Amino acid sequence: MNSRTRSPQEPSSQHEHGRTNSRRTRQVETTERLGWSDAPPRLRLALGLSVLGAALLIAGPEFGVVRDSPGKGFASTALLTLLAVAPPLIAIALIQFGRALTAAGVLTGVALLAPGRALVDLQFVQDGLLVSRPELVIPTSLAALTPGTGLWLLLGGHLAAAVAGVLAAGRAGAAPGSAYGLEVDAGPASVNARGRAMGWALAFATVAAVGLVMPPFRSDNAFQLGHDLIDSPTLVRAGLLLVVAAVVGGCVFAAGSARPAVARGVILGVLLGTAAVSLPEIVAGLSVDRLHPDPGPYLALIPLALLTLAIFVLRGVSIADPRDDDADAREDEELELESGRVHLVTGVLGILAGVAALVGAFGPQLVVDGLPAPETYANRQLIPAGLLVGLLGATLLTNRWAAAVRPAFVVSLGSIVLVGAATLDAAFTGSGVSETVHIGAGVWFAAAAVVIAAAAAVSAAVAGGAERDDVDLTERTLHTSVAAPAGAAILFSIGAFGFPMVTSPDFVAPGIWSEFRLASWGLVIAMLVVIAAGVISTMARPARAAALLLGAAAVVGVHALELPLTGDRTPDAAAGSGTWLAMACCLAFLVAAGIALAGPAPDNEQAPNNEQARDNEQPPDKEQPPDNEQAPEKESGPEEPAKTVKKPVGKRARGDRA
């Protein structure tokens, strides 16, 4: 009766489940269809302010940002007009096609960069000769430049864009029960999709940030400066910092937004705002006399374009129904695919960090006005560090070796930080000697390598955490055979990074215990990375332990190359105590790696199986009563058949153990 009662209900439940899935699918497919009638009044007002701001941004250069303007460096009217009208036109088109929420995100993304751009333009009020804006004006003399009407129109345009973004952000004043409000309050998108987008955002935003702080172009014109962030005047420096913060914050916000429509709109707005800053610099470097292209604007714009494309793809997935019959299978497949994607992101970041380190090694570190670039030494160690990280990053792109190589890759990133900090320290120290000495492009690539390496470490940690979720780590104990050489290597590493690698009468190397400088932070971080790898390897699985130890040996090996690669920077250079300790440390790590790779797993990893076998044998002995207690039970008629079955079982169990 009960079975006949349940059987008709199961198809009905499945039918209702199917209808629920179809309704849920239709909801995902029809979401974001919000046109003019659904746009709240505040969004319409924001759109009007955006149009007004575009008109002011177009009119400002035409009226002239300074009085008696010497003229523009190139015919920039068409380019500036296109960059000004792009945000409102795209927003209008999105609303027309039923994407009002995405249009609001575009206005919000553009508004993030408006305060920084306004501060950069305000430099014309303080001293227009220090502004590098060839699309607006190129001075022809040292005469002071007086702000003109066009400057205030430009500032008004930035203000209108900022207010428009504030009005369009969030619910934009939509009523809770309206279609727009329901769309804003709808359930979040796929967490996995947001995680993938966050990884790409961290990678590309850091590269774009480095590009924004680099010089916009190289200039041979004494009246048109091409300074980077450090050498820029105060207001320009503050404005660029705000622009960098807006770009990074906008990318992270877009990647982590719960609504795919908002994510796509914000990242598109950030791209448009960055294009308004970088595209005129690119055109100026290509077309203006005595100006030459520099990689900064390209690094700022291209990664954001790729990130926009990635977010449009990654955040365009629909929401899976967890009640689906195949949800578990799809979740397993998605987790496996997600692991591969995280390794892919990590590998790409590793390759980018390696390439940036190599460019930093061969690029100019210092530029002296009117003289050849001086020879530098600290950046030479970027060559082995870049090759190491780049090759390991490329290995992560293969599914077969990714999981095994990842621990070594994570540890190897310490070499980028170690050498990158020394390179930056030498460059900043050299640039402070004279006002005619400036930082070269190679320094910024070295800094980019350090930032990308940090992002790669975060991405690799995410991949490692996902892998450890499927491994039982409760029974891990110490690898005694690995602990001895690893412990010795850890002790050697303290001296290897703490004591000088090169000794000379006229040279004082940065250190941890004395002469603490920027390079000392690299020594501290590399030492902590190596020590952590040695400690973790004593409790890790054999293959993972070997990878950690090999990565630590590679970092120490790169550090040991300081004398042969940089010894020419001082006369009578000799190997310091740090060099000998580094060689001993590297050898100890290699011995520990060999033992970990050849030796068996810890003894207690097999213990749970033996204990489980004993536990399985004990219950029959405990549950079976003694023979003398079973005899009286035979007299009870109804109970007798059951007891006569149990007694032989108990005897067989005891006999087997005997």
Side-chain angles (χ1 to χ4, degrees):
M1 177 75 72
N2 291 338
S3 62
R4 287 194 301 270
T5 307
R6 289 192 185 98
S7 58
Q9 290 180 354
E10 291 177 359
S12 175
S13 176
Q14 294 176 358
H15 181 63
E16 292 294 334
H17 185 194
R19 288 191 298 179
T20 303
N21 287 339
S22 62
R23 287 196 302 267
R24 189 177 180 86
T25 302
R26 286 195 300 269
Q27 182 181 359
V28 172
E29 292 174 352
T30 58
T31 189
E32 305 173 9
R33 299 291 181 181
L34 303 172
W36 289 103
S37 60
D38 300 314
R42 270 176 48 183
L43 178 56
R44 299 183 185 184
L45 177 59
L47 189 59
L49 284 176
S50 178
V51 173
L52 175 61
L56 294 175
L57 292 176
I58 295 172
E62 297 305 316
F63 279 88
V65 294
V66 294
R67 297 179 182 177
D68 301 327
S69 177
K72 303 176 182 178
F74 62 97
S76 61
T77 301
L79 177 62
L80 296 180
T81 301
L82 177 63
L83 295 174
V85 302
L89 286 181
I90 291 176
I92 292 173
L94 288 171
I95 296 178
Q96 184 67 30
F97 286 99
R99 295 289 189 263
L101 196 58
T102 305
V106 171
L107 299 181
T108 303
V110 173
L112 292 175
L113 280 74
R117 295 176 61 190
L119 275 181
V120 173
D121 290 340
L122 271 175
Q123 182 62 42
F124 281 106
V125 177
Q126 189 176 42
D127 189 354
L129 293 174
L130 301 179
V131 181
S132 301
R133 301 293 298 277
E135 73 276 13
L136 299 178
V137 60
I138 288 187
T140 56
S141 67
L142 294 178
L145 299 177
T146 305
T149 305
L151 176 61
W152 310 114
L153 295 178
L154 279 179
L155 296 177
H158 295 316
L159 178 61
V163 176
V166 172
L167 293 176
R171 298 175 58 90
S178 63
Y180 193 93
L182 293 175
E183 176 62 23
V184 174
D185 298 334
S190 171
V191 176
N192 290 329
R194 294 162 65 184
R196 293 192 299 270
M198 184 66 73
W200 288 108
L202 290 173
F204 288 118
T206 53
V207 179
V210 173
L212 287 169
V213 301
M214 291 177 64
F217 39 74
R218 289 183 291 109
S219 175
D220 297 332
N221 187 348
F223 301 109
Q224 183 62 70
L225 305 177
H227 289 325
D228 53 30
L229 175 68
I230 297 177
D231 295 330
S232 297
T234 304
L235 289 178
V236 174
R237 188 185 310 148
L240 287 178
L241 288 175
L242 286 180
V243 169
V244 169
V247 169
V248 176
C251 292
V252 173
F253 173 80
S257 176
R259 299 301 305 156
V262 175
R264 293 191 289 267
V266 170
I267 192 60
L268 182 57
V270 171
L271 175 62
L272 293 175
T274 307
V277 175
S278 300
L279 269 182
E281 297 173 347
I282 293 175
V283 176
L286 295 173
S287 60
V288 179
D289 293 338
R290 306 184 69 179
L291 297 184
H292 311 284
D294 199 78
Y298 298 92
L299 288 178
L301 196 57
I302 295 176
L304 290 182
L306 296 176
L307 178 61
T308 302
L309 179 61
I311 286 184
F312 266 77
V313 174
L314 296 178
R315 300 306 309 276
V317 298
S318 59
I319 306 173
D321 192 343
R323 295 173 295 178
D324 195 350
D325 295 336
D326 298 331
D328 294 337
R330 286 201 309 271
E331 183 178 358
D332 294 339
E333 295 177 359
E334 186 178 1
L335 288 176
E336 183 178 356
L337 183 61
E338 183 69 18
S339 177
R341 285 170 174 167
V342 175
H343 281 137
L344 176 63
V345 173
T346 307
V348 171
L349 289 175
I351 295 174
L352 290 176
V355 171
L358 292 176
V359 176
F362 294 101
Q365 302 295 306
L366 295 174
V367 178
V368 182
D369 295 340
L371 294 175
E375 189 174 5
T376 55
Y377 298 92
N379 60 314
R380 294 181 179 181
Q381 285 179 275
L382 286 173
I383 298 175
L387 291 175
L388 172 65
V389 173
L391 291 176
L392 291 178
T395 308
L396 291 178
L397 301 181
T398 61
N399 294 331
R400 181 178 180 181
W401 301 103
V405 174
R406 188 190 63 251
F409 171 77
V410 175
V411 180
S412 70
L413 295 173
S415 63
I416 296 290
V417 180
L418 170 68
V419 186
T423 302
L424 296 176
D425 183 34
F428 291 149
T429 302
S431 63
V433 174
S434 173
E435 295 182 355
T436 61
V437 181
H438 308 287
I439 293 175
V443 177
W444 298 114
F445 278 97
V450 174
V451 175
I452 299 173
V458 174
S459 179
V462 173
E467 178 184 335
R468 287 187 292 273
D469 289 340
D470 298 331
V471 179
D472 184 11
L473 303 177
T474 57
E475 300 294 336
R476 295 290 182 187
T477 57
L478 185 68
H479 293 258
T480 55
S481 58
V482 178
I490 290 174
L491 293 178
F492 289 142
S493 68
I494 297 176
F497 292 100
F499 295 124
M501 304 291 290
V502 180
T503 59
S504 175
D506 300 327
F507 177 73
V508 179
I512 297 178
W513 324 119
S514 61
E515 196 64 26
F516 196 92
R517 304 202 305 256
L518 177 59
S520 303
W521 286 108
L523 294 171
V524 171
I525 294 174
M527 182 182 68
L528 293 177
V529 169
V530 166
I531 292 175
V535 173
I536 296 174
S537 66
T538 60
M539 296 175 286
R541 290 167 287 169
R544 302 298 187 267
L548 287 169
L549 294 169
L550 289 175
V555 173
V556 179
V558 171
H559 185 47
L561 293 175
E562 181 175 348
L563 176 62
L565 291 179
T566 68
D568 294 339
R569 59 184 166 179
T570 179
D572 300 329
S577 56
T579 298
W580 304 112
L581 290 173
M583 295 173 63
C585 177
C586 185
L587 179 61
F589 272 129
L590 291 176
V591 172
I595 295 175
L597 192 60
D603 295 337
N604 68 322
E605 289 189 5
Q606 306 296 333
N609 295 333
N610 299 332
E611 294 177 359
Q612 184 178 2
R614 289 195 299 270
D615 292 341
N616 293 336
E617 293 177 355
Q618 288 177 1
D621 207 14
K622 292 182 179 180
E623 293 177 358
Q624 199 63 264
D627 294 343
N628 58 356
E629 293 182 2
Q630 292 180 0
E633 294 179 359
K634 290 183 180 180
E635 299 178 357
S636 58
E639 301 290 338
E640 185 174 357
K643 297 301 178 181
T644 56
V645 174
K646 291 183 178 179
K647 184 175 181 179
V649 173
K651 288 182 178 180
R652 284 197 299 271
R654 288 193 297 270
D656 293 338
R657 286 195 299 274

